[in-house]
Amino acid sequence: MKILLLANKDIASNLALNTLFRTINGQHKFQILLSSSVGKSNKNKPEALKDLAFFEQDLFNKILFPGLRKNASPLAGKCLSFAGFNTSGITVSEVQSINCEAGRQTIHAFAPDLIVSIRFGLILQPAVISIPTFGVINLHSGELPKYRGVMATFRAMQQNDTECGTTLHYINDSGIDSGEIITISKQPLDYKRSFLHNTLSLYEKGIRDVVKAITEIENTGKCSSYPVNSKGNYFSFPSEQELEDFKRKGLNLYEYQDVIDIAHTYF
């Protein structure tokens, strides 16, 4: 199949894509379109979220990734940067808008059988959703419909949940984190580690769900799924007060150990 991957230019998306390419079988052709951020601009966000954005994006995209050999091989057990995907034969492009004429033309030119979204920062409109033969599926890093929106793992930790998870679902319209659910995978929350660590740890199971769905769609044309019976809760980025309360509970958005752990997967 021809599969268009929509992702965000951050470390979580990159690790998820590496896991996907390492896991999937079959003769699929991929193309990647990257958004530059999820949600609204960082301009008015609390400083803690700006620092988190640096850890998730700039630290790797601007500092660590340029130091990687662009021809590094994933067969050596190391992850590729976004530039590494490009040099391995997978076209990677950045997009500021996907619903405009130019965005739709880019998708039409690739003519995908399926679109898979992972952390993509732009809302798809019906004109884009209707392009792929087998539709659009999205991997949300949270349990739906309980935690719609951004930073679902933060909300799970904020609520003292014992588990966090991913939800794989269809995108049928421009609604946020709605659409028929294909599967939900959960795992224990580790309160000794950061929000970032807990979020990144979700993608091993989540990507296995994506691979299973791709196989099912390739064989039958559609995944078994079920409708969401509740609108659930929609969460935007946490407020300054919520971030202070999170820290006061002894919880961290990120840790330096996270950077060390992640860097070891590339170098």
Side-chain angles (χ1 to χ4, degrees):
M1 286 199 301
K2 295 172 73 174
I3 302 174
L4 178 64
L5 299 168
L6 304 180
N8 195 50
K9 196 175 181 182
D10 59 29
I11 189 60
S13 291
N14 185 271
L15 288 170
L17 292 175
N18 271 285
T19 303
L20 175 64
F21 297 139
R22 187 171 63 244
T23 307
I24 198 165
N25 295 315
Q27 298 300 312
H28 304 291
K29 183 177 181 181
F30 295 100
Q31 183 170 320
I32 300 172
L33 294 182
L34 296 173
S35 59
S36 58
S37 63
V38 175
K40 297 179 180 179
S41 168
N42 280 335
K43 183 183 294 186
N44 298 317
K45 287 181 183 176
E47 287 301 317
L49 293 184
K50 293 179 182 179
D51 291 343
L52 177 64
F54 171 79
F55 270 77
E56 291 181 320
Q57 294 187 283
D58 289 351
L59 177 61
F60 294 91
N61 291 324
K62 296 182 179 180
I63 300 174
L64 294 184
F65 282 173
L68 293 176
R69 291 186 299 111
K70 291 186 178 181
N71 62 345
S73 172
L75 297 178
K78 297 298 182 181
C79 291
L80 297 178
S81 66
F82 293 114
F85 294 147
N86 244 329
T87 57
S88 66
I90 300 171
T91 301
V92 181
S93 306
E94 293 186 49
V95 292
Q96 299 301 316
S97 174
I98 196 170
N99 298 298
C100 64
E101 181 64 25
R104 294 195 303 272
Q105 286 181 357
T106 298
I107 299 173
H108 275 297
F110 181 60
D113 298 301
L114 176 69
I115 292 179
V116 177
S117 172
I118 303 171
R119 298 179 63 85
F120 192 60
L122 303 173
I123 302 300
L124 304 186
Q125 298 298 327
V128 169
I129 296 169
S130 65
I131 294 174
T133 306
F134 301 122
V136 183
I137 60 175
N138 176 61
L139 182 65
H140 174 66
S141 57
E143 182 184 351
L144 293 178
K146 186 177 181 180
Y147 294 121
R148 296 171 53 237
V150 298
M151 295 183 64
T153 304
F154 175 92
R155 299 300 177 181
M157 296 176 75
Q158 182 187 47
Q159 297 299 317
N160 300 314
D161 289 356
T162 58
E163 295 179 311
C164 56
T166 57
T167 303
L168 184 64
H169 65 97
Y170 274 102
I171 295 180
N172 300 319
D173 53 38
S174 57
I176 299 175
D177 298 328
S178 58
E180 298 174 340
I181 291 177
I182 298 169
T183 189
I184 297 175
S185 288
K186 299 180 184 180
Q187 65 185 43
L189 272 167
D190 184 353
Y191 281 91
K192 294 180 180 179
R193 297 299 304 268
S194 69
F195 153 80
L196 181 59
H197 171 84
N198 278 289
T199 299
L200 296 181
S201 68
L202 293 172
Y203 289 100
E204 197 71 37
K205 282 185 177 180
I207 291 299
R208 285 205 298 266
D209 293 336
V210 171
V211 170
K212 183 178 178 181
I214 290 173
T215 301
E216 186 175 350
I217 290 170
E218 184 178 29
N219 292 335
T220 68
K222 185 173 176 60
C223 276
S224 54
S225 59
Y226 59 93
V228 180
N229 296 319
S230 167
K231 290 185 178 180
N233 305 297
Y234 176 80
F235 294 96
S236 185
F237 288 101
S239 66
E240 186 81 57
Q241 184 61 56
E242 288 176 319
L243 291 165
E244 289 178 5
D245 291 343
F246 193 78
K247 186 175 181 180
R248 194 174 296 113
K249 289 170 65 176
L251 303 175
N252 298 310
L253 291 178
Y254 57 86
E255 300 165 331
Y256 292 115
Q257 185 62 45
D258 298 335
V259 180
I260 295 171
D261 294 343
I262 296 165
H264 283 162
T265 68
Y266 292 90
F267 293 92

